């Protein structure tokens, strides 16, 4: 007997599930219920269409209902909303075009309703020029607004991925953009010490960043201008507001279904992506999954996991034993020329969960320095006492995606910093160095863990006790003169052996150089002379980058 | 008591060993004996300096003897050749400037003599315009020759990495280049079915390829012209010949030392890189190491392994338990806009060793197709019956290095094709797709191994029995019309279900499409109807690319 499978939501996870299921089962009856007019569109491409990088709207439409019907015999019903699920009798109530409803029974149900932009109940939130971005109609609305000659200033509320991407693409279109973020920093997947690299890139391209200052209320001078008042009391106006403060699972329709939801409304599933109700699966942005690194329950509203989950739910319905093993939150974004990418856990998460960790920072070149076009990149590596890699964050103008993908792979395969030192990655001068940045990060972490060159961090510098510590800058006098950490003594590395008597052996020496490499050599020299000494990971470059704060309210 | 360590050879492995050892041991006496005038130069950059991409010669000199002395207190003796090793008494005989010799005793000896270009004893080989490339003096000679206005045509003998890179850089300088290769194809790390992609790139840029035709002899019209006669009898002239037919370990000086050498003269070492003689280590291009995938003894003359080995030998001398676990031969090169990269074992090697394997080919885009600038890439994945990844090869204009690095990491961590399907790689439209090319390769391989969509290969097409098989092209009639495999019947995928009666169920169906994806869907439809059917991996695009043969003797 053929199965009847209803899929609620025809984007990412839902579309993947449908086509996979058809390949597994020619006879299944497969119905996609999609609230909007469009299915399987290029969700992650929407900002780039608004910004003009993607010029043809048709390119956003990866699959049409007609294509799905023709090739995969899938019954796609757009403008159709699942309004109620009866999990006992296995019936979905569907509302078509917002009007009449009808019922459809199922053998299996895959829920892929996604997540919707959060719209807080702030004063003035209903101003017609406060828009969010989720789907194609939102995109059309935003684009038609941005296309107006009269729209010259935009305020983006929220410094997550969508907010930052929108700020970037609108700036590239020539608009004057302000980005407001309630937290002290944008882009929560990144730690506070490295994310200023991204913030500086944004300011350097003319975006004004108002950080650590939530919106208090909106007002309107007129229909075409929004007035934004922040909690600090600072007020400014914009011709358009893009609201991107985050997403919430779009699961209100499940409330009386008996399907278990998490504290924030996410659908709870097991490793086969089955809910607590027989025959009901769930995938994508609306579900809670297990974090690959910490094994904590979390939500990872990203396209990669959604697509993989769709495939796995289809497999399981077709009788294959596929499992979803958890998400590590690998993510990446382009900010003008800069790439920012991360994978696994960051310090903030690990601290919150009380999981001990270490962190190392390196600034190697994207490829051999003697070959033209090498760009410095910043790689932050987080690992535990046993050397297991827990997370990584990268910033730079070339080759960041590659290194984060390698580190994401190591995290997936439960590798260690020792593995990083042994990875044999592709080297020719246009592509890398004989010791790849990932190898280098491994070496630094290994030297840290085995005590050969213990690392210190910004907090160790900021919180140091001047009585018991001495800060030693081993760069050249020229470098020292152009900027150094206050109270640091300058002894260039190449003079260190001769001038060792200038050091106070009763104090702990905190060494730094520009990027960390000379500091490492200095530590090795000094440790062998019996000094208690450690090296600032990432060096002065890291210190300097971390201390960037945007020009506010200018 | 301080150790006295002599290092023979101051490039890559030797230089790495010296600086690492100093960081581990401030008191050790460290002497580098280097035959040439230069140490620690950018070996892999030499072709790019000759070609003009790297403009300043000084950039090739990564470290000078003075820098090494100043920072690391290493006694670097250039123009000094180790002519004899007495391993019983631990004495090296050193010849300075090709004249006087002296002796130096050691506690530890690290041999890093490298490999030298092979110079076959062919008639006419001593012509002054037949040059090889190994070191800085060779580079200077070649560059001064190439700089001559009268040098307009160059023949490169040998299609290995150096030969291909030289052919590329000299073409980019405006010279007319011919490349001669004795084997049927260039670039032995790649299989015959995919390496034509690189060969076509070279021909498209004006390089003439003479493959499968070894040099028989050289002659000279005059001092400024070399005549090259191939085994086929074909003769042509060139203003310059670059000889790059491979390298041999430069270990003649070890012959009476008691240090065990392999059949081709490579130094034999254990996992700590120790030779059979007490206190003697060896690293770099001159040693035999274990292949990571096959565990067969082999030589991998590449900079990455050399540098890592130097570090490990230094570690072990300093008392750390570091081991070298083997090399997987990850390599990459730029051929004009094309990147060609490989890691692990190829089909040729596995066939030779009698190791069973499977292969899958995919042609995904480098990033989301709807975002500008996506380039198709070709990824070949090799795996065993259990799904363990054995090797990979990639070609393309963007993002090939990233995917090969991810696959190199999987191979290092002993991952499987199932792991590939689960890797959570960084996705945003400018960087990748929600299902990365590496995920895609994993899916295809998984569908192959679990029988959902068995793959066939070019040999299955070429060797097929027309009586018992039927070749089915599921592309559109337009695609079919512009080129197809002879005897293939065309039924477009979207008509397949309706026209299934046109197929002969008594025959095995060999299906293909353009890149393999529609073929996969067709296989799924047909298998569920009871047909014996398999899909040509990589599709017609692969068939077409593999059948490229260069225009010879034009």
């Amino acid at each position: 007997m053929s199965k009847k499978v209803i899929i609620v939501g025809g984007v990412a996870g839902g579309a993947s599930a449908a086509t996979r299921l058809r390949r597994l089962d020619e006879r299944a009856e497969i119905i996609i219920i999609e609230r909007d007019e469009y299915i399987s569109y290029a969700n992650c491409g929407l900002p780039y269409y608004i910004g003009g990088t993607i010029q043809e709207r048709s390119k956003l439409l990866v699959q049409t209902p007609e294509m799905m019907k023709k090739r995969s015999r899938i019954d796609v019903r757009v403008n159709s909303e699942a309004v109620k699920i009866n999990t006992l009798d296995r019936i979905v109530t569907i509302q078509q075009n917002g009007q009449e409803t009808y019922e459809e029974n199922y053998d299996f149900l895959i829920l892929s309703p996604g997540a919707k932009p959060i719209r807080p109940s702030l004063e003035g939130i209903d101003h017609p020029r406060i828009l969010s971005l989720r789907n194609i109609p939102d995109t059309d609305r935003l684009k038609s607004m941005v296309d107006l000659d009269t729209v010259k200033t935009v305020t983006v509320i929220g410094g997550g991925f969508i907010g930052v991407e929108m700020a970037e693409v609108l700036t590239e279109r020539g608009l004057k953009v302000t980005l407001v973020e309630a937290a002290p920093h944008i882009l929560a997947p990144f730690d506070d010490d490295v994310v200023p690299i991204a913030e500086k890139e944004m300011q350097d391209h003319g975006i004004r960043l108002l950080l650590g200052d939530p919106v208090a209320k909106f007002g309107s001078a007129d229909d075409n201008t929004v007035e934004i008042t922040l909690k600090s009391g600072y007020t400014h106006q914009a011709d358009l507001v893009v609201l991107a403060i985050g997403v919430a699972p779009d699961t209100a329709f499940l409330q009386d279904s008996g399907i278990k939801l998490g504290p924030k409304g996410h659908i709870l599933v097991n490793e086969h992506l089955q809910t607590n109700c027989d025959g009901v699966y769930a995938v994508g942005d609306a579900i809670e999954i297990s974090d690959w690194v910490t094994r904590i329950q979390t939500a990872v509203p990203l396209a990669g996991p959604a697509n993989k989950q769709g495939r796995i739910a289809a497999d399981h319905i077709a009788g294959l034993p596929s499992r979803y093993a958890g998400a590590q939150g690998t993510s990446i974004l382009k900010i003008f020329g800069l790439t920012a990418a991360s994978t696994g856990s960051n310090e903030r998460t690990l601290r919150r969960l009380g999981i001990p960790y270490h962190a190392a920072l390196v600034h190697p070149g994207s490829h051999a320095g003697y070959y033209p076009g090498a760009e410095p990149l910043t790689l932050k590596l987080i690992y535990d006492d046993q050397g297991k890699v827990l997370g990584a964050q990268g910033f730079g103008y070339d080759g960041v995606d590659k290194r984060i993908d390698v580190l994401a792979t190591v995290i997936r395969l439960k590798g260690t910093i020792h593995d990083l030192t042994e990875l044999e990655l592709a080297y020719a001068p246009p592509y890398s160095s004989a010791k790849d940045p990932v190898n280098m990060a491994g070496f630094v972490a290994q030297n840290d863990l085995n005590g050969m060159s213990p690392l210190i961090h910004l907090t160790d510098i900021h919180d140091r006790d001047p009585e018991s510590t001495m800060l030693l800058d081993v760069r050249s006098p020229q470098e020292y003169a152009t900027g150094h950490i206050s109270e640091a003594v300058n002894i260039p590395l190449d003079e260190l052996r001769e001038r060792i008597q200038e050091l106070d052996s009763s104090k702990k020496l905190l060494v730094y150089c520009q990027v960390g490499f000379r500091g490492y050599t200095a530590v090795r020299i000094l440790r062998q002379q019996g000094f208690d000494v450690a090296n600032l990971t990432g060096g002065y470059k890291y210190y300097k980058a971390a201390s960037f704060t945007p020009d506010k309210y200018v």
Side-chain angles (χ1 to χ4, degrees), chain A residues 139-151:
Chain A
T139 303
D140 291 336
R141 264 191 297 277
L142 262 167
K143 184 157 166 59
S144 67
M145 195 70 86
V146 168
D147 284 344
L148 295 174
D149 287 341
T150 51
V151 171

Side-chain angles (χ1 to χ4, degrees), chain A residues 515-541:
Chain A
V515 299
F517 192 67
R518 281 173 288 176
Y520 160 48
T521 303
V523 165
R524 290 307 307 152
I525 293 171
L526 294 169
R527 271 180 92 80
Q528 294 185 60
Q529 299 295 335
F531 285 90
D532 181 10
V533 53
N535 184 29
L536 174 62
T537 193
Y540 186 72
K541 182 171 176 175

Side-chain angles (χ1 to χ4, degrees), chain A residues 8 40 52 103 121 174 180 188 265 277 342 407 494:
Chain A
V8 174
S40 195
E103 295 186 339
S121 54
V180 173
C277 293
S342 78
L407 288 161
D494 289 344

